[in-house]
Amino acid sequence: CHHITGECSCPPGWTGHDCKHPCSSGRWGQRCENSCACNNSDGSCDPVTGSCLCEPGFTGTHCE
């Protein structure tokens, strides 16, 4: 946490005042600022790395 403001600096994949909330679906990275670039129906990706989490039957970097 910042020594003056007390604001938390969350690790990638986490958000919230106390960093206890994972990024919402479709978001990833520092402060959950990035959008997943996945082609599978729910567009889900790893909240830390942004790697696509493909549905069964799909493969590739973007589940294409």
Side-chain angles (χ1 to χ4, degrees):
C1 293
H2 189 276
H3 68 283
I4 295 173
T5 66
E7 182 181 356
C8 293
S9 177
C10 302
W14 296 92
T15 189
H17 177 71
D18 52 8
C19 299
K20 291 184 180 179
H21 302 284
C23 291
S24 60
S25 181
R27 309 295 299 174
W28 69 278
Q30 193 75 36
R31 294 182 299 277
C32 303
E33 292 178 338
N34 304 304
S35 294
C36 296
C38 307
N39 294 329
N40 53 335
S41 64
D42 66 359
S44 64
C45 65
D46 183 279
V48 176
T49 66
S51 297
C52 293
L53 305 173
C54 301
E55 292 182 353
F58 291 87
T59 187
T61 304
H62 300 287
C63 302
E64 65 275 15

